Amino acid sequence: MTMTAATKTTSERTASERTFGAVGAAVRFDGVEKRYGGGAVVAVDGVSLDIAAGEFLTLLGPSGSGKTTSLMMLAGFETPSAGEIYVDGEAIAAVPPYKRNIGMVFQSYALFPHMTVGENIAFPLKLRKRAKAEVARSTKDVLDLVGLPGYEGRYPRQLSGGQQQRVALARALVFDPRVLLMDEPLGALDKQLRERLQLEIKALHEQLGVTIVYVTHDQQEALVMSDRIAVMDAGKIEQIGTPNQLYEEPASRFVASFIGESNFLAGRLQEQVDGHAVVDVPGVGPLRASTGGQHAVGDEVVATVRPEKIVFADEAAETEFNAVEATVESVVFVGDAYRYEARLGGGQSIVLKRQHRAGVAQHVRGERVRVGWDVADGRLV
């Protein structure tokens, strides 16, 4: 079942009906901190962040990175220890949650089990003392929007996990919030359903234009859904950018390892020429990479390259190419590709992925091979 906009003829709709999510709000974190235990424990450490109206921004990071605490402060369930949060220029840190006009979707769905689907969705409208006719109309429209028409009379226990999450989303949208917050909303679902709902939520966002702030520890989910991603660690934002920017131009080793899979080769910076760094890797020799960050000749540095960027040297046509000798240590079939781990001279290992397709010979454990990658695909972090 796919989420779709409610379709009605002109005669079926009235002038008083609303368009859900018609206007998203801009959000700004200004030096926001959250401390516990008398200040001894820092959960969020001076976060400053601008989120554009209508943007889909994901807070991505491991457990304890501060992403959920940041979301809870925006929702009003936590109060900042320092700094301020603004929604469309209005300071809201001291505003109660129920006055913020912000929708919230949790991983646990948080549906009332004793209420029907219709009653769950209508609950925020009744709290706002909306007219009975408007409540009925809005409930029906938002159920159409999330692909559950006619489900008003069912109870949560009669729904699948995916259907329950759609109801939770409908309840968060029904009062037309300025901002929609989503805290690991797909974490309890199986892989196939999770991937389908990722695309449906993304399509719904594009249709409605509501500002979405999304929390996840799943980097693949963040890459698929987001306009921009803020990668968090230890209460700070490590890097913020589009999915492509973070994947192709990680600013640190942490970002490179958390967004996708990366190889890291340690060495000493020999020289920097025409935007390229030459790194002397022990037991391997000089390798070239794109420069990144602030490094000086003689510094100990780390070059990173993604596994899918590495090829066996006989496949390479690039002129600007790093090529190294290696010994295959393991070969794992992962369906669409073979994943190789190979040991270089000096003891460092790299992982490369080779697409599984007809006519491509596979290498075996213990085989000596020559592997390499385009200079532009390597980067210092």
Side-chain angles (χ1 to χ4, degrees), residues 46-349:
V47 165
S48 292
L49 172 65
D50 285 294
I51 304 170
E55 184 174 21
F56 192 128
L57 182 125
T58 295
L59 300 176
L60 174 69
S63 297
S65 61
K67 57 189 187 298
T68 294
T69 303
S70 298
L71 197 77
M72 292 299 103
M73 288 189 287
L74 178 53
F77 302 138
E78 295 279 2
T79 302
S81 304
E84 185 56 87
I85 301 173
Y86 300 88
V87 175
D88 273 347
E90 175 190 356
I92 63 165
V95 176
Y98 65 91
K99 290 186 176 180
R100 297 190 183 193
N101 197 35
I102 291 176
M104 186 85 192
V105 181
F106 300 92
Q107 178 179 339
S108 61
Y109 317 136
L111 300 177
F112 299 116
H114 62 287
M115 291 184 180
T116 65
V117 166
E119 290 168 341
N120 266 282
I121 294 172
F123 185 75
L125 295 177
K126 290 180 178 179
L127 285 179
R128 290 164 172 79
K129 303 186 184 305
R130 300 286 174 82
K132 188 174 180 179
E134 181 187 351
V135 171
R137 184 176 63 244
S138 295
T139 299
K140 182 180 185 304
D141 281 357
V142 79
L143 277 171
D144 288 346
L145 187 72
V146 301
L148 293 176
Y151 277 64
E152 292 92 333
R154 300 193 190 188
Y155 285 89
R157 64 179 179 274
Q158 297 173 309
L159 306 179
S160 68
Q163 289 169 335
Q164 290 185 59
Q165 195 57 282
R166 292 170 194 267
V167 173
L169 179 59
R171 184 177 61 185
L173 288 171
V174 73
F175 59 92
D176 204 11
R178 300 184 287 176
V179 180
L180 178 62
L181 310 182
M182 308 186 80
D183 186 16
E184 304 273 9
L186 308 181
L189 305 177
D190 65 71
K191 183 176 184 294
Q192 286 190 335
L193 180 56
R194 189 167 65 246
E195 290 176 350
R196 186 165 78 245
L197 285 180
Q198 287 171 12
L199 297 177
E200 291 184 7
I201 291 171
K202 180 179 175 68
L204 192 63
H205 167 254
E206 291 173 353
Q207 174 188 333
L208 299 180
V210 65
T211 303
I212 294 181
V213 183
Y214 193 97
V215 161
T216 185
H217 65 274
D218 186 328
Q219 50 90 11
Q220 190 66 35
E221 189 166 280
L223 291 173
V224 168
M225 301 178 74
S226 313
D227 294 326
R228 286 192 304 155
I229 302 168
V231 182
M232 296 191 69
D233 185 42
K236 295 178 179 291
I237 295 178
E238 285 276 320
Q239 187 177 357
I240 184 167
T242 66
N244 182 269
Q245 286 171 339
L246 294 181
Y247 192 85
E248 297 292 347
E249 302 173 12
S252 67
R253 181 165 182 162
F254 174 81
V255 174
S257 60
F258 202 81
I259 300 283
E261 187 177 12
S262 291
N263 293 292
F264 300 100
L265 297 171
R268 188 177 297 276
L269 183 58
Q270 283 188 333
E271 60 178 324
Q272 298 188 71
V273 181
D274 297 330
H276 288 156
V278 179
V279 181
D280 181 25
V281 178
V284 176
L287 298 175
R288 289 173 294 167
S290 298
T291 55
Q294 300 297 317
H295 303 287
V297 172
D299 284 352
E300 294 290 340
V301 295
V302 175
T304 182
V305 59
R306 301 287 185 182
E308 72 275 11
K309 308 285 190 180
I310 303 175
V311 298
F312 291 96
D314 58 0
E315 300 174 319
E318 296 87 347
T319 55
E320 294 293 319
F321 193 75
N322 291 306
V324 298
E325 300 289 337
T327 301
V328 176
E329 290 200 321
S330 70
V331 184
V332 178
F333 177 59
V334 294
D336 61 341
Y338 283 89
R339 183 182 186 276
Y340 292 88
E341 185 171 352
R343 185 166 297 277
L344 309 179
Q348 297 191 65
S349 293

